[in-house]
Amino acid sequence: MCGRYTLTADKRMIQRRFAAEVIPERVDGRYNIAPSQEVLCIINDGTNNRAGFMRWGLVPSWADDPKIGVKMINARAETVHEKPAFKRLLQRRRCLIAADGFYEWKQENGGKQPYHIQVKEKPLFAFAGLWDKWEKKGEVISSCTIITTKANSLIEDIHARMPVILRAEREKEWLDKEEDDPYHLTTLLEAFPSEKMEAYPVSPEVNHPKNEYASLINSL
């Protein structure tokens, strides 16, 4: 699964990287983004890319209770085209979720050691995501989920799965509103190449979502 990640770049870098015509005025550096929090997503409106905040934890439009979102922070790439909560969104409501690193925990010495994982040279990248809008009794929630896949050879020593990081050249295709073939879209959901990534242990202080400061990503 993917349950915690980072986005430390400033607004200008994000806007340039994702060619976003619209972006929120305030984008703060984040070092410990957790489920149920607002996360920065990029969608395409048919003409331009637009960035905005959504709640992490998918609340399908048909859900009776928005609390379902706590159980839907991730969607598996292998079954996303067939699960009722996701298959419609795969065809119609795909998004990029901006990030520059994520955390996973490895079982070591009777405990769990957190690792920070990033693309080499620390560039911004995007998780493949799905989103939906839930509306009931005047309340509106836009929410998202991060798609995961089987871990590559670097990550598998830490955890069996990893978030889908889209290759930069595939991001436009993922956002393309004209593309709706679910079987083709699932071919984009591959594990990012292990040789282009790096992982290192970090402080267990990241275990607590309330901890939010730059030193969390420092190597031990």
Side-chain angles (χ1 to χ4, degrees), residues 10-210:
D10 62 27
K11 175 182 175 179
R12 184 175 300 181
M13 292 173 63
I14 295 167
Q15 190 166 27
R16 185 169 59 246
R17 170 63 177 78
F18 297 108
E21 293 295 320
V22 178
I23 192 168
E25 184 61 33
R26 185 176 177 83
V27 179
D28 297 323
R30 297 292 311 281
Y31 295 89
N32 198 7
I33 301 171
S36 81
Q37 296 178 356
E38 298 294 300
V39 299
L40 190 67
C41 300
I42 297 93
I43 64 170
N44 186 275
D45 61 13
T47 303
N48 299 312
N49 286 352
R50 297 189 292 116
F53 289 106
M54 297 189 194
R55 182 187 297 182
W56 182 12
L58 187 75
V59 182
S61 59
W62 45 260
D64 293 325
D65 189 338
K67 291 179 182 178
I68 193 175
V70 300
K71 299 178 181 179
M72 302 182 72
I73 65 169
N74 292 155
R76 294 174 70 94
E78 297 88 340
T79 57
V80 72
H81 63 290
E82 58 190 22
K83 294 290 185 180
F86 305 129
K87 63 181 182 180
R88 173 181 58 89
L89 304 181
L90 179 64
Q91 292 182 285
R92 300 178 184 176
R93 287 189 163 175
R94 301 182 299 275
C95 64
L96 305 177
I97 300 173
D100 52 24
F102 64 97
Y103 298 102
E104 277 299 353
W105 282 257
K106 180 180 180 180
Q107 195 71 39
E108 291 183 351
N109 302 318
K112 289 187 175 182
Q113 170 63 52
Y115 282 75
H116 187 251
I117 302 160
Q118 60 194 23
V119 174
K120 289 180 179 177
E121 308 304 326
K122 301 184 180 179
L124 276 164
F125 57 79
F127 299 132
L130 303 174
W131 71 280
D132 208 353
K133 182 181 286 188
W134 181 89
E135 300 181 65
K136 263 189 183 10
K137 298 180 180 180
E139 184 179 9
V140 179
I141 299 173
S142 293
S143 60
C144 64
T145 187
I146 294 174
I147 300 176
T148 67
T149 190
K150 184 178 178 181
N152 62 27
S153 58
L154 173 70
I155 310 303
E156 66 181 0
D157 185 53
I158 302 170
H159 196 274
R161 297 189 67 78
M162 64 181 289
V164 172
I165 298 172
L166 289 167
R167 297 171 187 260
E169 64 271 18
R170 291 181 169 179
E171 292 172 0
K172 184 176 181 180
E173 189 173 3
W174 181 252
L175 292 183
D176 185 358
K177 295 180 73 69
E178 298 299 317
E179 179 58 73
D180 62 359
D181 179 354
Y183 296 101
H184 171 68
L185 289 164
T186 56
T187 67
L188 306 180
L189 304 176
E190 301 177 329
F192 200 76
S194 58
E195 66 273 13
K196 295 183 179 181
M197 303 183 72
E198 57 190 1
Y200 56 87
V202 294
S203 169
E205 291 179 8
V206 76
N207 295 349
H208 304 287
K210 290 184 179 180

